């Protein structure tokens, strides 16, 4: 095998990915780095959610809706309303505040009506 030919890696061969010498692929060192990254990505096991790249995975990005977390959203909304600003609260938070009942339900309904007016 000549030096310029592509050589399949053990992991890459199973997926049809071949390593290239950095001089053969458009003559840049960057392409060789990209090839090495692609082959390395084949070796990384998938996450529990099924995503293969933890950098782009957004499955676990949403924190759990704890009471403390909801209190923070509620207090922030009250603060912004007190400053004359309209808070942008996600629908999932509005629903959780509404389910709490009482003054939190009133706040959620007020904020939802404000969304309808925009």
């Amino acid at each position: 095998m000549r030096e310029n030919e592509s050589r399949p890696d053990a992991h890459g061969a199973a997926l049809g990915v071949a390593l290239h010498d950095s001089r053969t692929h458009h003559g840049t060192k960057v392409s060789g780095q990209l090839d090495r990254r692609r082959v390395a990505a084949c070796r990384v096991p998938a996450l529990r959610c099924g995503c293969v790249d933890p950098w782009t995975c957004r499955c676990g990005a949403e924190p759990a809706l704890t009471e403390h977390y909801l209190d923070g959203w509620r207090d922030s909304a009250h603060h912004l309303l007190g400053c004359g600003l309209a808070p942008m609260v996600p629908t999932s938070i509005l629903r959780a505040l509404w389910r709490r009942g009482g003054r939190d339900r009133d706040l959620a309904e007020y904020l939802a009506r404000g969304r309808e007016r925009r």
Side-chain angles (χ1 to χ4, degrees):
M1 186 179 282
R2 293 183 304 204
E3 184 179 343
N4 291 351
E5 290 181 5
S6 62
R7 297 177 301 272
D9 182 50
H11 297 286
L15 299 171
V17 178
L19 282 176
H20 297 281
D21 188 293
S22 63
R23 292 169 290 191
T24 63
H25 195 64
H26 303 294
T28 64
K29 289 181 94 176
V30 174
S31 63
Q33 293 170 353
L34 292 175
D35 289 336
R36 287 191 299 276
R37 176 168 165 65
R38 184 174 33 257
V39 171
C42 294
R43 293 190 304 259
V44 175
L47 301 172
R48 288 182 183 157
C49 60
C51 296
V52 293
D53 191 354
W55 184 262
T56 58
C57 175
R58 297 289 177 245
C59 299
E62 293 295 320
L65 295 179
T66 63
E67 295 298 313
H68 184 71
Y69 188 71
L70 290 173
D71 289 343
W73 275 101
R74 180 199 61 211
D75 295 343
S76 297
H78 280 298
H79 174 75
L80 290 172
L81 287 169
C83 294
L85 301 171
M88 303 228 5
V89 180
T91 305
S92 60
I93 303 298
L94 289 176
R95 289 178 181 154
L97 288 171
W98 188 86
R99 283 192 297 268
R100 284 174 129 184
R103 295 178 71 188
D104 289 343
R105 180 173 289 180
D106 295 339
L107 175 65
E109 289 175 354
Y110 179 79
L111 294 174
R113 280 193 305 270
R115 273 188 179 181
E116 293 171 0
R117 284 184 249 135
R118 289 185 218 153

